[in-house]
Structure formats: structure tokens, C-alpha cells
Amino acid sequence: MFDKDTLEQLSNYFAPLKKQYTLRLSTLPSHPSYQEAKTMLEQLASTASQISMVFEEKEGFCISILVDNQESGVRFRGIPGGHEFTSLLLALLNMDGIGKNIPDEGVQRRVKAIRGTVKLKTYVSLSCTNCPDVVQTLNLLSILNPNISHTMVDGAFFPDEVEALGIASVPCVMAGDKVLHVGRGDLATLLNKLEETYGSEVKEVSNQEAQAFDLVVLGGGPSGIASAIYSARKGLKVAVVAERIGGQVNETVGIENLISVPYTTGAELAQNLLTHAEGNNISLFEARTVTSVEQNGGISYVRTSSGECFATPALIVATGASWRKLGVPGEVEYTGSGVAYCAHCDGPFFKGKRVAVVGGGNSGLEAAIDLAGICEHVTVVEFLDVLKADNVLQEKVRELSNVDVLLSTATKEVKGDGKKVVAIIVTDRKSGQEKEIALDGVFVQIGLSANTKLVEELVPTNERGEIIIDASCRTQTPGIYAAGDCTTVPYKQIVIAMGEGAKAALSAFEDRIRS
């Protein structure tokens, strides 16, 4: 199964292991995958003296990891091959306290504070590129908290079970007999859902016990990281509090309009933001969910669901904005595989193809006009019986021979073939007639929603919830600044967000030295 070079590489990975691990295969010798699984586990065991393999004759099919002869809570129902092979390797490393994905102490306290006994199963496809992130995260949670167990289930191994549960997309996380999560998910997202479902016993610290910083940035996207880097370069003690570094950038497939960088991906840009921040003496508090922000005596206090509190005289709010979602089947599953939210960023990937734009406002028709120049055909789908876009945009659309507009039409579902979008299903709201439109991409343009709820009582916002700032990124509240997509700055673009972040940092520093 593994060639000599792979086995040697695995041996190097496992060399630092300190504990003893047992890979237990529980099935019957008559199972069609028995020999394949047995060979795989035996080869893995041959790469390190700390790993052994045992066979348990039993109905079903399951691979369990035991640590020092004790159940670890991590199991694989199916052979963890394909993308999931990394999940097995990381589980072994994480159980030994090594591996780059182990979170800091604050997040670990949060994981350990989840109440009760939690039994999780994640149904996956071995060809799914989103599944390993969820599996690896939940494996890690079960390692950190002995009251959590997690089992990866290969849907191809148990088709009857998948059908009985009505699972139509992966990854699908089940908590008991209920669906906890479907689709992409990071550590912060999955932790939030577990806390909402099971509760938490995290203890909050008082304002007097808060960690003090010269400047705190809320948000880890392009504007937030730019703010942090500029501030750190001024010699300030800086903290970034965010759910994930990169923010919404992580959802972008390809980026071709970041000046001086001809092409990059959202994941690559997010990693570069992290690398740049780590090289500038910035305290990064990732996988944090901020629960409250208050100001007292000119000091802002930021609290997280981890029980932490951060205090600072200068707060930069760079929480970004979220694309409003359709909320229909298939949207989440095919985000990044045909479902997109920015025509500027992702439009070129659909050159010569057929696409739909959902939304007839200014952003929707602007996207349609842009896409019409590179796509074979564009269908605009508007829920209302009239377009809300400016007349000049409506006139331009009417001049385009490859753009059709459907009014009074509801988008009901995004269809895919398991890898990419192939169609959308829409319904005529007047006649009730349903039809399927074959296409390659769907651009959702029903507006942005600024992520500003946490500070809406501290700073003025406009009717769209955006923080009102001046030309220097100052808000009307002394000591609080804002940058990027959560503000009134026009044109929500990565390059603009970065510049706004720099402006906010320079304004905060200028106010600091003047006061």
C-alpha cells in the first residue's frame, strides 16, 4: 500500500512519539475491506516502535486508536485513506501533544469547559476536500476533552445508514441523532455550535484581571492584520482577537486583483497574513468568539467566550462584513465550487461559461454587467417584480444580448454533481412554475451585512449597520477606530481594506502621542 519513501517519511513523523499507541481493527475477516485495512495498519505500525496493530473479530467495521491501552475517543468507521489519511496521522501526533494545529491555552480551556458527554460522528467522502478540516478539528477536541468522542464515518462504507439519516452533503456532523453542522467548518465555528448545544462552564475574569495591551484589533482579515502590523512596527504591545486569521478571505478561491500579486488564493493570502503577523511581535488570539465589548473610563474591554478579557486604550474594529446568504440547499456545500459572492474576484474563473446572478440591486446588475463581458451567458434572478438598481445600470443590462432577467423569481436550490455546481432551481412566484437552469456558477449578490452588532452601542452606525468613520478611520467615540468592510468606506475590496487598516493604525498612534 505504501512505498518505501512514504514509509520512511512516516517513520520520521512518528520518531518523536513518547506514548504507546494501538491501532485496533474491529471487523470480520469476511469483510471486503478487511485485508486492505489490515495491511494499511500493519504498515503504519512498522514505522515506529511506539505503534502496534491488533485485530478484534467483531461485526461492523471500525478502526480505533488506543493510547497506553486506553480508549482515545477517536475512531474511523471506514479506511481513512484519500484526504482523510492526514486525519489519522494528525490524530496520533496530537495525542502526543505535537502537531501545528494544537490551539493555545485559552482555546484549550474553552474546549475542556464544554459540559456533559458529547458523542460526535462526521459523515465524509474520501474525495471531499472540506471534510478533513472538520474531522481533524473534532478529533482534536476529543483529544483535549475526554468527555468528547468523535468518529469519522465514510459514507461509501455505510450507504444504507446515510440514506436512513437523509444525509445529502458532506461533511455532516451528527451530535447523537441530530445534525450539528454541515459543510465547511473551522475551530471557532464548531466550538460555537458545541457550546450552544451542550453549554459551557468557562469562568470569566474581571476587568481588573484583564490582559492589558496598548492596542487591540478585533478581526483577523486584511484590514485587521494591516492595523496590527502597522501598530506593532510603532513599538506598541498589540493583540489581534479573531475567529480566524484571513477572515472572509479564506472563502475566496482565486484573487487576481491584489496589486503586485498576479494571482493567489484566499487560503494562501490568509497564510501570508498569519506569517507576516507572527513576524511582528503581535499576540494572536485566534479561534476566539467575542461576546461583548464595553468602554469604561476611556478603556475598552473585550470579552470572549473563552472567559478571557482584554483591556486597551485604543481599539480598532476590523470585523468585516458577511455576504448575505440565500439560505437554500446546496449553497453552503458548493461555496467555492461554483457558488461565489464577488464577481470582481471570482468572475474570471467562469470565462466562457454560463452563470446566474441572484439579486437585482446595484451590486447584482453591476456583477451581471462585469460577467457579461467574459461569460457565455448571464441570468439575473430577482425575487421582486421590479429591479431596484439605478436606471443607468438597468439600461446597460437591456443592451446586453447575453443577459436575461427573471423577475418575481425565487431561487430554491443550488444543484451540483458532488464536485461543482451544475444548475439552479427557481420558481416563478406568480405562476408557481418551477424550472431548472443549467449553468456553471451562481453569484449571490443580495447585499453585505456588516459585522458590527458587538459595538453598535458604542459607535454610531448608518442604516446598513456600517460604522461611521471619518477620512482617518476615527469613529465618533474617542479611543475606538474602525477599518475595512465593517465601515462606511466605499468599495469592499481586499486592497482597500488593507489601506484602511494602515490608516486606522496610524490615526490611533497619532492620537496616542498627542495625548
Side-chain angles (χ1 to χ4, degrees), residues 25-42:
L25 172 62
S26 303
T27 190
L28 298 176
S30 58
H31 193 286
S33 296
Y34 162 75
Q35 192 58 53
E36 179 185 355
K38 183 172 180 289
T39 300
M40 174 185 178
L41 298 182
E42 286 176 340

Side-chain angles (χ1 to χ4, degrees), residues 162-403:
V162 169
E163 185 177 354
L165 291 170
I167 295 173
S169 59
V170 292
C172 178
V173 182
M174 304 286 293
D177 59 354
K178 296 182 179 179
V179 175
L180 180 76
H181 175 82
V182 177
R184 294 181 182 183
D186 55 24
L187 178 56
T189 299
L190 294 167
L191 259 181
N192 286 341
K193 292 189 175 181
L194 286 173
E195 288 169 339
E196 291 168 6
T197 304
Y198 295 94
S200 174
E201 296 176 352
V202 165
K203 294 181 180 179
E204 292 190 354
V205 301
S206 65
N207 286 357
Q208 290 71 31
E209 300 172 295
Q211 300 180 61
F213 290 90
D214 296 326
L215 183 139
V216 170
V217 180
L218 292 188
S223 60
I225 296 302
S227 295
I229 290 172
Y230 264 72
S231 298
R233 286 172 60 83
K234 294 293 186 180
L236 302 185
K237 183 181 179 183
V238 179
V240 173
V241 183
E243 289 200 348
R244 58 177 174 171
I245 302 303
Q248 191 173 299
V249 160
N250 287 280
E251 308 299 332
T252 304
V253 178
I255 301 168
E256 296 180 320
N257 55 358
L258 183 58
I259 308 309
S260 85
V261 181
Y263 177 83
T264 187
T265 67
E268 289 171 342
L269 178 55
Q271 182 57 50
N272 289 339
L273 290 172
L274 174 61
T275 301
H276 202 167
E278 289 176 333
N280 279 272
N281 195 29
I282 296 168
S283 297
L284 297 174
F285 297 93
E286 199 175 0
R288 270 27 178 221
T289 299
V290 177
T291 55
S292 68
V293 181
E294 61 182 44
Q295 194 180 60
N296 187 0
I299 300 297
S300 293
Y301 296 93
V302 177
R303 294 189 175 279
T304 74
S305 57
S306 302
E308 300 154 304
C309 184
F310 306 95
T312 180
L315 177 70
I316 296 180
V317 182
T319 46
S322 303
W323 293 105
R324 294 186 189 276
K325 304 290 173 45
L326 290 170
V328 301
E331 180 183 18
V332 172
E333 293 82 351
Y334 291 102
T335 296
S337 300
V339 175
Y341 298 88
C342 179
H344 296 296
C345 300
D346 296 331
F349 296 100
F350 295 87
K351 184 177 182 179
K353 298 181 179 180
R354 301 178 71 86
V355 300
V357 174
V358 181
N362 282 348
S363 60
L365 292 201
E366 286 173 354
I369 292 167
D370 285 346
L371 293 167
I374 56 177
C375 296
E376 178 187 338
H377 188 271
V378 179
T379 301
V380 176
V381 182
E382 170 56 48
F383 184 83
L384 301 176
D385 57 3
V386 294
L387 295 175
K388 292 294 186 179
D390 295 340
N391 285 333
V392 63
L393 295 175
Q394 294 189 41
E395 291 173 4
K396 177 63 177 176
V397 164
R398 294 189 192 103
E399 296 172 359
L400 299 172
S401 60
N402 63 336
V403 177

Side-chain angles (χ1 to χ4, degrees), residues 4-41:
K4 182 180 178 181
D5 290 340
T6 301
L7 291 173
E8 185 175 342
Q9 189 175 18
L10 291 172
S11 182
N12 291 332
Y13 285 150
F14 295 143
L17 295 179
K18 300 179 181 64
K19 300 175 183 178
Q20 293 296 313
Y21 298 92
T22 303
L23 304 175
R24 184 180 65 204
L25 172 62
S26 303
T27 190
L28 298 176
S30 58
H31 193 286
S33 296
Y34 162 75
Q35 192 58 53
E36 179 185 355
K38 183 172 180 289
T39 300
M40 174 185 178
L41 298 182

Side-chain angles (χ1 to χ4, degrees), residues 113-160:
I114 294 173
R115 292 175 179 159
T117 301
V118 181
K119 295 183 178 181
L120 303 173
K121 289 185 292 186
T122 302
Y123 289 84
V124 307
S125 165
L126 296 186
S127 62
C128 169
T129 56
N130 295 323
C131 292
D133 289 338
V134 172
V135 170
Q136 290 161 22
T137 296
L138 295 179
N139 283 347
L140 182 59
L141 299 190
S142 70
I143 293 167
L144 295 174
N145 186 334
N147 295 320
I148 300 175
S149 63
H150 177 243
T151 303
M152 181 219 81
V153 185
D154 181 358
F157 258 65
F158 304 95
D160 293 341

